[in-house]
Amino acid sequence: MTALRVLICDDSDSFREGLRALLSTSAEVDVVGEAADGTAAVEAALELQPDVVLMDLTMPGTGGVEATRRVLASSPHIAVLVLTMAEDDASVFAALQAGARGYLLKGARKAEILRAVQAVTDGEAILGPAVATRLAALVAGRPRPESAFPELSAREREILVLLTEHLTNPEIAARLGLSEKTVRNHLSNVFTKLRVATRAEAIAVARRAGL
């Protein structure tokens, strides 16, 4: 079986490095290039003609949405899979309207990312659980789970989600491309804002809220 050729586009050096290391564990994936901004992403995609582009949305210069649009305008056969921290409705819809075949948050598990890479090349539309929940709630007119924690920042909420998956601080740091000290600081803020003292209590509060 020929390995799927993947291009990684993200402005974080550490995140690109971690993602490359993750993908390299699969014999079915071959990382053929990287790009640190939207313009470089478009140029690399057109030059390398990968099967899949893993695209962050918040990059300097040309953003991920516009980069997706430009890549697909010239190479519609390339599958763009968004992998980003942006989980707001506007970002999700903009990326899908630009032609992205999938949308995952950076907290996605290794197996989820690898499956999504394969699935989008097979023509499937892939949405991570958190994104799918947002869209379902939006369509149904229900309040989204995160509305229960308006005091949390987007990063703090993201870390809380990973906490509910029982990831350790080093695992969270590796997943998000952060230092362990930064993760500890965010967790301390989460505990303070949720008025809990332990990880178990934070997880219980998050799950009761449907996060």
Side-chain angles (χ1 to χ4, degrees):
M1 177 180 177
T2 303
L4 295 173
R5 304 173 73 253
V6 175
L7 171 65
I8 299 173
C9 303
D10 195 287
D11 64 341
S12 169
D13 294 341
S14 59
F15 186 78
R16 290 200 313 276
E17 181 180 352
L19 189 55
R20 176 184 280 273
L22 181 153
L23 295 173
S24 68
T25 63
S26 172
E28 299 177 356
V29 175
D30 179 21
V31 178
V32 296
E34 298 180 12
D37 60 66
T39 300
V42 175
E43 294 174 350
L46 299 185
E47 176 184 353
L48 298 171
Q49 291 294 301
D51 298 302
V52 180
V53 174
L54 288 176
M55 184 77 76
D56 187 19
L57 294 187
T58 53
M59 294 185 289
T62 303
V65 171
E66 179 59 25
T68 296
R69 188 176 292 111
R70 293 182 186 180
V71 168
L72 297 179
S74 298
S75 303
H77 55 280
I78 294 177
V80 175
L81 173 60
V82 171
L83 185 58
T84 185
M85 291 188 299
E87 58 177 322
D88 59 284
D89 299 334
S91 294
V92 175
F93 284 124
L96 297 180
Q97 288 175 340
R101 295 188 192 175
Y103 199 110
L104 298 180
L105 299 182
K106 285 187 175 179
R109 296 174 181 271
K110 170 186 172 181
E112 186 179 358
I113 294 174
L114 290 174
R115 179 189 176 280
V117 168
Q118 177 65 62
V120 294
T121 61
D122 292 336
E124 292 185 44
I126 295 295
L127 296 177
V131 176
T133 298
R134 291 184 68 89
L135 292 180
L138 186 64
V139 171
R142 298 191 302 270
R144 293 180 289 276
E146 67 268 24
S147 64
F149 305 118
E151 67 273 30
L152 297 184
S153 68
R155 175 66 84 185
E156 289 166 353
R157 188 177 297 111
E158 187 174 25
I159 288 177
L160 179 59
V161 170
L162 296 181
L163 195 66
T164 66
E165 298 178 9
H166 298 285
L167 269 65
T168 64
N169 285 6
E171 289 172 333
I172 293 174
R175 188 75 67 86
L176 299 179
L178 302 173
S179 69
E180 290 183 40
K181 180 180 179 180
T182 298
V183 171
R184 288 195 300 271
N185 290 340
H186 281 307
L187 280 175
S188 177
N189 291 336
V190 169
F191 289 178
T192 298
K193 291 178 179 180
L194 297 187
R195 298 181 181 180
V196 298
T198 67
R199 299 169 80 92
E201 290 176 347
I203 291 172
V205 170
R207 287 182 172 169
R208 282 198 297 270
L211 199 63

